[in-house]
Amino acid sequence: MPSAIPAGSWRDSVPEASATDLENLLGTGVGAAQEQLERNGGFLPFALVVENDGEVRLVAVTPADAADGTDADFDADSMISDLKELLRQHRDEFRAAAVVCDITLLEEDSDAIHVAAEHQDGSLFAAVLPYTANPDTHDLEFGQLAADTNEPAVWVD
């Protein structure tokens, strides 16, 4: 589990309570994704929310069948869209949300856990954690957690 969130000036421009919520979602999202990867070799997109009382809750949607003619068993992009729509519909019930998904980093020829978090006050933070399977041991090796860009998806109209 990564021990620190990438340093940067993002935290300076975010209220302390919002930064704490976003960091909590990031850490929980990365940890849950790593656990699923190590246990199952992959994970479906999911979301996490910080409810108004401070509790963190997992949000998931059922995968739709992948489009005909594809090798995928499910359509991850459709699931991510469904998650964002569900979060938008229920955004009054929580103060922060994050969508966690598995992405491919073409430049690094690696997969990565991607966490895109946002707060109801407009604060945003996203990060990627690259990983590869060791060809000899088949164990997963995780790279460095790095900040990424993010656009609001829940508190938009």
Side-chain angles (χ1 to χ4, degrees), residues 42-151:
F43 67 96
L44 296 175
F46 64 92
L48 296 165
V49 298
V50 177
E51 295 182 324
N52 291 323
D53 66 3
E55 290 293 315
V56 174
R57 185 170 53 94
L58 176 78
V59 177
V61 295
T62 304
D65 293 333
D68 290 338
T70 65
D71 293 334
D73 294 329
F74 64 93
D75 182 349
D77 290 336
S78 176
M79 288 183 71
I80 293 166
S81 293
D82 290 349
L83 280 167
K84 289 177 180 177
E85 181 58 32
L86 184 63
L87 293 172
R88 274 192 295 276
Q89 290 173 3
H90 295 276
R91 65 187 179 191
D92 293 341
E93 300 169 22
F94 50 87
R95 62 186 190 219
V99 174
V100 184
C101 59
D102 199 354
I103 64 171
T104 301
L105 301 173
L106 297 176
E107 313 81 45
E108 285 90 23
D109 191 28
S110 167
D111 290 320
I113 297 167
H114 186 267
V115 181
E118 66 182 283
H119 200 278
Q120 67 185 2
D121 69 7
S123 302
L124 301 170
F125 186 75
V128 293
L129 179 64
Y131 69 89
T132 55
N134 181 312
D136 298 325
T137 64
H138 300 289
D139 289 337
L140 293 176
E141 296 176 353
F142 293 94
Q144 290 295 114
L145 190 65
D148 194 22
T149 57
N150 186 21
E151 295 293 324

